[in-house]
Amino acid sequence: LNNDDYPNRKWYDDDEYAGGAGFQQMGKAHANPAVAREALELIAHIVANDLPFTEVVTADYTVVNPFSAVSFGVEGAVQFNDPLDPDEFQPVALPGIPHAGVLTSQMVLNRFPTTDTNRNRHRSRTVWDLFLATDIMKLAERPIDPTSIEDHNPTMFNPDCTACHAALDPIAGAFQNWNATGRYLPPSEGWYPEMRPPGFGDESIPYDQKTEALRWLGQQIAKDERFVTAVIRTTWYGLTGQYPLPVPSEDEEGTDETYQARSVAHQAQQGIFTAAGAVFVESDFNYRVLVGDLVNNA
C-alpha cells in the first residue's frame, strides 16, 4: 500500500498507537496477510453469503478484518462481531475508490502490473483469460515477425496486429485510472489517443463514467456469456486438477486414430458444462449451486 494513500498502513509499528498493546501486537501478525489476501477474501465473502458470483467483477466494496481495517483507515466504518478475530472479514467501501470487485484490488493490480510501453495490455490479457475464457494470443493465426512490420501505428492498422489488439486495447484503456503499482490516479491528460478508445468490444466507455471505467467494464463482463464459461473452466480445474478438454483439430481427422474418441469426449464434457452454466445463471450466479451441479453430474 502507498503511504500517501494509506498513512496508517503500518499502524502496528507506531510507538504512539493508542489502541492497546495487545491489539497492536496482533496487528503485527495479522494486518499484512489480511491486506495481501483481500481479493481472495472478497471471493470467499461472496460465496459464503450466497451473493451473485458476478460480484467478483462488480462489487462496490472490498473486505477487511479488524487489523487491515486500521491499515486501510476504515476502522470506524465497519463493525466486527469479534474485534480480535483475524479470520472475520466484513465488507466496506474504501473512500475515493470506485470499487469493481477484484478488478480494482490493489493486490490484483500489483500481481498483474503494467509499464509505460505495455499500457495495461498485460492486465487486459489477464481479464480476457480469467473472466472471458479467451486466450487473446490465439486470435492471431501465426506468430508475427516484428521486423516485417513497417506500418504506421500497426496495432491500429496492420491486420497481423489488429487480430489481437482490436480486443486487447479497449480493455487496456479501461485500466487507465490505475497506475503500475495499483494506485487510483486518473491521468490528467486522458488515455493514449493513438490507441483504441477504452471500452469493451465495439462499445466505448461513456465519457461521464471514465473515472469509474473498471466499474463500467465489470458490468459488461458480468453480462457476457463468456463470463459463465470462464467461471466453469476455473471451477473445473479447481475440482479436478485438469483443464477442460481441448477441441480436437479437424486436421487430425483421418490421421489420428484417437480423433473420434477425443471428439466424443469433448462434446460430452461441453454438454455437462452447458447444463451447469444454465443452472448457474438460473440460480442468480450462486457459486455453490454451480459447484454442486458439477460434482453431481460430471
Side-chain angles (χ1 to χ4, degrees):
L1 299 180
N2 183 274
N3 195 59
D4 291 335
D5 299 335
Y6 304 103
N8 294 329
R9 64 193 181 102
K10 293 188 176 182
W11 58 272
Y12 43 80
D13 288 336
D14 186 354
D15 293 337
E16 299 180 1
Y17 178 70
F23 186 81
Q24 186 174 16
Q25 192 63 34
M26 293 186 71
K28 291 179 181 292
H30 299 301
N32 189 67
V35 171
R37 292 182 56 83
E38 169 249 341
L40 297 175
E41 294 294 346
L42 173 61
I43 297 172
H45 171 82
I46 291 168
V47 175
N49 290 278
D50 292 325
L51 300 172
F53 200 68
T54 50
E55 290 199 8
V56 167
V57 291
T58 66
D60 59 357
Y61 60 89
T62 187
V63 293
V64 293
N65 76 358
F67 309 100
S68 63
V70 184
S71 294
F72 281 116
V74 293
E75 63 270 28
V78 58
Q79 297 294 319
F80 294 95
N81 298 318
D82 182 351
L84 297 179
D85 184 0
D87 295 323
E88 180 184 347
F89 284 80
Q90 296 289 351
V92 67
L94 302 181
I97 300 297
H99 292 285
V102 301
L103 297 178
T104 51
S105 165
Q106 190 158 341
M107 307 313 116
V108 172
L109 292 166
N110 270 275
R111 173 62 180 82
F112 302 104
T114 187
T115 65
D116 290 340
T117 53
N118 180 260
R119 300 181 179 181
N120 290 322
R121 289 177 173 117
H122 174 52
R123 289 170 172 171
S124 175
R125 179 186 177 186
T126 300
V127 167
W128 276 106
D129 181 38
L130 293 181
F131 303 118
L132 292 164
T134 302
D135 184 348
I136 284 291
M137 301 305 291
K138 290 185 178 180
L139 296 181
E141 294 183 356
R142 56 185 175 79
I144 300 171
D145 177 6
T147 63
S148 68
I149 299 176
E150 299 178 353
D151 307 69
H152 170 73
N153 197 354
T155 61
M156 285 285 287
F157 302 113
N158 186 303
D160 288 337
C161 300
T162 58
C164 294
H165 283 275
L168 191 69
D169 288 4
I171 288 182
F175 281 90
Q176 64 179 284
N177 299 317
W178 302 84
N179 75 357
T181 59
R183 297 180 67 195
Y184 179 67
L185 293 172
S188 58
E189 299 181 359
W191 191 237
Y192 297 98
E194 69 274 16
M195 290 179 64
R196 288 172 174 76
F200 181 60
D202 295 329
E203 188 171 356
S204 297
I205 298 173
Y207 181 80
D208 62 354
Q209 297 184 48
K210 69 174 186 177
T211 57
E212 300 180 354
L214 285 183
R215 181 172 288 179
W216 178 92
L217 176 64
Q219 296 290 343
Q220 310 312 306
I221 292 173
K223 295 184 292 186
D224 195 293
E225 62 183 13
R226 290 171 293 187
F227 174 76
V228 174
T229 302
V231 174
I232 291 174
R233 184 183 70 171
T234 301
T235 303
W236 181 259
Y237 180 79
L239 291 172
T240 69
Q242 298 178 351
Y243 292 105
L245 298 173
V247 181
S249 171
E250 293 182 358
D251 295 337
E252 297 175 303
E253 186 174 10
T255 61
D256 188 330
E257 61 183 15
T258 68
Y259 172 84
Q260 188 61 34
R262 289 187 291 114
S263 180
V264 170
H266 174 265
Q267 292 176 15
Q269 187 179 75
Q270 288 304 303
I272 293 172
F273 290 170
T274 299
V279 171
F280 184 42
V281 173
E282 182 65 24
S283 70
D284 193 22
F285 299 94
N286 186 307
Y287 188 71
R288 290 199 249 196
V289 171
L290 171 64
V291 172
D293 187 84
L294 288 174
V295 169
N296 289 329
N297 297 303

